[in-house]
Every structure is written in C-alpha cells, then in structure tokens.
Amino acid sequence: MITPSAQAPPVLTIAGSDCSGGAGVQADLKTFCAYGCYGAGAFTALTAQNTTGVEDVHPVPPSFIEKQVEMVLSDIDVKAIKTGMLFDAENTRAVVHSLNSHYTSKRKPPIICDPVCVSTSGHTLLHPDALEVLAHDLFPLTTLITPNKSEAELLLSQNGFPTFIKTVEDMISAASRMILVFASGAVLIKGGHINTSVEEIRSLEEKNPQIRVIRQGLLGDNMEILLISMERIDAAVNPGLVVDVLQERGGETTLFVRPRVESASTHGTGCTLSAAIACSLAHGNSLIGAVESATAYTHLAIETAKPIGKGHGPLNHLHSTSKTLIPSPTTRNPYPFTRYLINNTASSWKAYVEHDFVRLLGKGTLPRSAFNHFIIQDYHYLKYYSRAYGLLAAKSSTYAEIGSATQKVLDILHEINTHETFCQTFGITQEELESTPESTATTAYGGYMIDTGLRGYGEVGLWLKKEASKEGSWVLLENNPYKKWMDDYSGPRYQQAVKLGLDVIEGRALNDPPTPARLDEWRSVWERCTLLEKGFWDAAMEHA
C-alpha cells in the first residue's frame, strides 16, 4: 500500500528517455507522482522507441549529464535517487563523478541502481565496457541494485562467476554471491522470468526457516467464495507465482511472492519498480517495507493496464491515484469488495466457514439430530432469502438488475425443491418441515437479512471441496451421508447463483463508491450476517 508522508519528498531519476512514455525517465516521473513525490530528471540518453522495440539511441554528452545532476542537487534537497539506463562507460563515470562530487561531506540519500542492460525486445542498452564501471564504481554508492535474471547472470559472469539462474533457489544463491562480489548495500533479483509454484515456495520455507517470505495478492484462508468454479479453485490452490529475492548485506533474505499475471503490458516494469522503491525510501520506509510496497504497486500497475500500442504496452502507473476505497476488479481479483470484507472480518469469517458443524459434516460424523435441526431451519430461512431478493427486485431501477434479482429467486425455488427431496432421504416429511417452528436464530437472521444483507452457503461448500481435493484430506466423501449436501453447495448451479450474488454487490460498490464511514457500515453488516450465519451452526450443535 502506498502511504506517502504529508510532504512531497524530491526524488531524482538519472536515466534515459523513452519517447513512447512507457519506460525511462517518463515512467519514473509517473511513478513519482503516484507516490506523492516531487520528481526531477537528468537524461543520460535519448531513444527512438515504442512498444515494439528500440530503433535508435542517442547518448547525452557526459559533461552535460554532470551539469544536469549538479543543477538539481545544488538546489533541491533530494531524498532519494534512482539510476536507469546509463548507456556506456563514459556516461556511467559521469554519473559516479557527479554523485561523488556533490556528496563529499554530505550523507548520500538512498540510491537505487537499476542496471539496465537489455530491453524487453532484446535491444542492448548498455555497452559492454560500462559493466566494469557499473560494478566497481557505481554499485558501492548504492543502497540497492535491482537486476533481473539476465542482468544478474551477466554481471556475475563478467566478474568471474559463471551463473545460470533457473529456480528460486538459484536466485537466492546468485543474490548472496552478488552481495559478496559487489559493494552494494543490498540486491533485489527480479523473478519475472522464473516460474515457480506454491508448493515449491512451501518446500523452500521448510528447508530454509531463516528466509522471510512475504505473500502478496494470494488468496488467504476461507476465500474460496471468490473463485466460483473448480478451475479457479485449482488455480488458487497452486497458482503460477513470481518471486523477487531481496538479499541484504547483513545476511537477511526476503522473498516477495505474488501471482503471475499474464499480460503484454510490461514495458518499463524494471524502471517502475526501482522508481517506486526510491519513492518509498524517500518517504522514510525501511528497505523491506519499500520493496514490499513497490512490488505490490508494480504488480497492480501491470494487472490494471489497458493495451496501448502494438507490442509490449506500458503499465498503468496511476492506478493508485483513484480516490475510491475499493480497487477496480481485475482478472486475478474479480471481487475486490468481497475480498475486502473477508479480510476485514477474518476471525468471524473463519469461525463461520470452519465451524465444528462444517468439519464434522465433512468427516461424515455430524450427529443426525444436529443436521436435521439445521436442514429444517434452513428451509424456513430460504423463505426470508427469497423475499430479500424479491425486495431487491422491487428496488432495482433497471431491467438488468430486476432480471438478476428475479433469477436469484428462481434459483432459490430450485434449491427448495432439491432441499425437500434431500429431507425425504433423512426421513423428514413435508409436514414436519412446515410444522416445526422457526428457532430464535432463524428468525433473528431472517429479519436482519430482510433489512440489510444477502448471504448463502456457497463459501462453505467450496471450502469443503477444496479441502477434499488435498492429498490425505480429512474430508470423507465415500459413504458420507452428507455428501449430496456438499455436492449441491459446491456444484455449478449453486456456484453460478453465488456468482450472481457477488456480481450484484460488487456492481453496487463499483457504481456507488462508499465513503469511509459507509464502507465501515457495510463491513459491519457483513460481519453481523456472518455471525448470524454462524449462529445457525451453533444452534444445530446444541441439538447434537
């Protein structure tokens, strides 16, 4: 999360120009703006490029680079500096000389070096003779260097350590080697070109408990409701991951793990990440905090980008400047409002989804008396549920909204038919369903739902389904008397109904963004509904 201070700290980028606007100084300045920083820029080279590639590069004279840096630093109290494409040895020396000249007696601000060597399209952006100057003159001045896989391999190989990076473990070894070989304060190896998985990261953690792992954007516990199809559940259980490895000189290793985003909008990713780190440091954050913020910011900039150009398009640098409290939906996060609600009521939500009633039901050991009480009360509850959607249809102002609410009522009526058939298999007659009075929990929940909210059992069915898919699962499917109930609530028809409900609340939140007070009210409603839903399980267990 971007948390700028009250002031706009000045940040300087020393890098090349991208006339198409997606990388270089142009990308840096957009990132500075998004982070609430004042941006200054010294150009090292002009490029003729677009999203399809680099056509030509025109270097800026070294003396003029020094003059630009001198003019900025002599006038402005810069709080962080980042370097990008430096082009050749002479220009790299000019940058080193200008920094050393200015900070002879002053403490240098954090300096982030993005050792840009090759563009995404394969164009060489750093002359080979510049590598030695970069490694032996510039790196010792830096707080952090941010090579990608290819740049880390190149830098180590050029300094006598032939390296091939294919796994996350290789990245960790390479980062540790770079700390020993180069005098930088820390190294962040970017893992965009390395494929890994949840299982590989879990195994690595078990073998290396001293390594810190920061997970970003991955589904937390009890978020199966956000997936609504088995394909998505499988993808969430073991998604493709991107991992960045931070190695600090003190020996601490930190992994930043997030879902891989399949996108062609990746032009300027390295520039953006290093610029974001510089900004976060300028705001006074720790190095780990700065990298965590910057990796999350860059990930969302890729995920929310719209296609621009015919090749690798630019990131959406200004995604964080939106004033809404709820982010826009993305492919990876189609239900951001629901995710917010689950995250901010985590203990209540977990108590509901992983209730003893649900666990015993999954094991097939739930007492029949408890389930019979629940299933009869659920029959009464569904009347409230259908009336709530009828009320929503009455309040809707468009045919699409009326149709959506009406379809939900039809889904509930179908569920009632299934419900009655299921009850018969447990010896519960239609007369017993109608004559058994509502419990206090049912009446309280039903009345509250009519006034304020809508809910269901889709998340419980999906959680049991996910647990059942794990090797050696505690969930019993064979000869489980409650298997049909689990199948119904994790099946495609009910999950489509869940999706319909999610689409309704997400659409309302997106079209009518809440104020902080209103969002907190919505969170309270969600939590109250969750606790009332849990009350259903509690009441059933009292009859066990």
Side-chain angles (χ1 to χ4, degrees):
M1 179 181 293
I2 297 173
T3 53
S5 59
Q7 301 297 319
V11 181
L12 170 63
T13 172
I14 307 172
S17 167
D18 174 7
C19 58
S20 68
V25 170
Q26 287 87 336
D28 294 342
L29 293 177
K30 293 173 188 176
T31 305
F32 295 172
C33 176
Y35 266 83
C37 292
Y38 174 82
F43 290 92
T44 59
L46 306 178
T47 65
Q49 66 172 297
N50 56 28
T51 63
T52 64
V54 179
E55 185 69 24
D56 200 1
V57 180
H58 179 71
V60 171
S63 60
F64 193 69
I65 294 174
E66 290 194 47
K67 181 61 69 175
Q68 292 178 82
V69 175
E70 176 190 346
M71 293 301 291
V72 173
L73 296 183
S74 65
D75 182 45
I76 299 172
D77 184 16
V78 168
K79 298 301 182 183
I81 298 170
K82 74 143 285 188
T83 67
M85 185 186 75
L86 301 179
F87 185 70
D88 63 11
E90 290 304 311
N91 281 7
T92 305
R93 288 192 185 95
V95 171
V96 172
H97 184 262
S98 62
L99 294 175
N100 282 331
S101 296
H102 181 77
Y103 293 108
T104 52
S105 58
K106 301 177 184 178
R107 182 178 180 181
K108 291 188 292 293
I111 298 175
I112 310 302
C113 175
D114 181 16
V116 180
C117 299
V118 181
S119 71
T120 301
S121 58
H123 194 98
T124 300
L125 298 175
L126 186 70
H127 285 199
D129 62 351
L131 287 173
E132 184 176 353
V133 181
L134 194 72
H136 298 287
D137 295 339
L138 181 57
F139 286 176
L141 305 180
T142 62
T143 305
L144 175 71
I145 59 176
T146 61
N148 60 28
K149 168 188 177 295
S150 299
E151 289 161 349
E153 291 173 337
L154 177 62
L155 288 163
L156 284 171
S157 297
Q158 287 287 322
N159 284 271
F161 298 95
T163 301
F164 299 96
I165 301 174
K166 296 182 179 180
T167 66
V168 175
E169 288 187 273
D170 291 342
M171 292 173 67
I172 295 171
S173 297
S176 298
R177 175 70 69 180
M178 293 186 80
I179 283 289
L180 295 175
V181 174
F182 307 119
S184 173
V187 174
L188 178 71
I189 297 184
K190 299 172 288 192
H193 296 95
I194 299 293
N195 293 313
T196 189
S197 66
V198 172
E199 287 303 321
E200 289 179 55
I201 297 301
R202 189 177 293 124
S203 173
L204 194 150
E205 282 184 281
E206 292 174 355
K207 290 189 291 184
N208 303 277
Q210 76 282 4
I211 292 178
R212 180 179 182 183
V213 178
I214 296 177
R215 291 171 169 81
Q216 303 172 302
L218 298 173
L219 288 182
D221 292 340
N222 311 129
M223 288 190 178
E224 291 75 25
I225 191 176
L226 304 179
L227 301 170
I228 69 163
S229 75
M230 284 311 299
E231 289 75 21
R232 272 183 156 166
I233 289 176
D234 292 341
V237 170
N238 196 20
L241 301 179
V242 171
V243 179
D244 296 328
V245 175
L246 175 65
Q247 180 67 52
E248 298 179 81
R249 181 156 293 280
E252 186 171 4
T253 305
T254 305
L255 308 187
F256 300 87
V257 183
R258 58 193 178 278
R260 178 174 295 279
V261 178
E262 298 301 330
S263 172
S265 298
T266 55
H267 179 54
T269 301
C271 304
T272 300
L273 177 64
S274 55
I277 295 171
C279 288
S280 193
L281 290 173
H283 279 295
N285 295 312
S286 67
L287 181 59
I288 289 179
V291 175
E292 182 176 5
S293 169
T295 50
Y297 163 81
T298 305
H299 174 84
L300 280 174
I302 295 172
E303 192 171 29
T304 61
K306 304 298 182 184
I308 294 177
K310 299 175 182 178
H312 289 281
L315 283 60
N316 174 18
H317 294 92
L318 302 184
H319 67 83
S320 62
T321 62
S322 171
K323 294 183 179 180
T324 181
L325 297 172
I326 303 169
S328 298
T330 65
T331 302
R332 275 281 181 183
N333 187 18
Y335 303 118
F337 177 45
T338 308
R339 179 180 285 208
Y340 166 86
L341 293 172
I342 294 174
N343 275 333
N344 286 275
T345 59
S347 59
S348 299
W349 184 256
K350 183 180 180 67
Y352 157 56
V353 176
E354 299 188 24
H355 197 281
D356 284 345
F357 177 96
V358 180
R359 288 187 175 276
L360 292 176
L361 185 142
K363 294 176 181 178
T365 58
L366 180 70
R368 181 66 61 87
S369 57
F371 188 78
N372 283 2
H373 174 84
F374 157 73
I375 206 74
I376 292 172
Q377 294 304 315
D378 191 38
Y379 178 80
H380 293 306
Y381 157 81
L382 287 171
K383 294 178 184 177
Y384 287 104
Y385 198 42
S386 58
R387 287 161 57 201
Y389 269 100
L391 182 61
L392 177 62
K395 289 185 174 183
S396 297
S397 57
T398 69
Y399 285 117
E401 292 173 341
I402 294 170
S404 177
T406 302
Q407 181 59 53
K408 185 65 178 179
V409 174
L410 294 174
D411 288 334
I412 295 168
L413 293 177
H414 179 272
E415 184 181 351
I416 287 291
N417 292 330
T418 303
H419 198 96
E420 291 173 342
T421 302
F422 186 65
C423 285
Q424 292 174 9
T425 66
F426 278 79
I428 302 171
T429 66
Q430 182 68 35
E431 181 182 357
E432 188 176 358
L433 279 174
E434 293 291 351
S435 62
T436 302
E438 291 182 9
S439 69
T440 303
T442 303
T443 304
Y445 185 21
Y448 185 77
M449 183 178 58
I450 289 291
D451 288 337
T452 54
L454 303 169
R455 300 202 20 81
Y457 301 124
E459 58 283 349
V460 172
L462 285 176
W463 180 67
L464 287 172
K465 197 79 169 184
K466 186 196 76 171
E467 291 297 309
S469 69
K470 294 180 178 179
E471 185 176 354
S473 172
W474 56 270
V475 176
L476 175 69
L477 294 181
E478 188 175 354
N479 298 322
N480 187 327
Y482 309 114
K483 182 177 184 298
K484 188 177 186 306
W485 188 92
M486 291 188 288
D487 288 343
D488 285 345
Y489 284 103
S490 63
R493 184 180 180 92
Y494 192 81
Q495 291 311 312
Q496 182 58 33
V498 172
K499 180 182 185 303
L500 195 63
L502 289 174
D503 289 342
V504 168
I505 63 172
E506 291 288 338
R508 292 297 176 93
L510 185 64
N511 295 329
D512 186 17
T515 62
R518 192 176 178 206
L519 182 60
D520 187 61
E521 181 183 359
W522 290 355
R523 183 206 60 76
S524 297
V525 168
W526 175 274
E527 184 160 35
R528 178 62 175 155
C529 284
T530 300
L531 292 174
L532 286 167
E533 192 86 51
K534 175 180 174 293
F536 250 37
W537 306 143
D538 293 338
M541 292 303 290
E542 291 174 3
H543 288 75

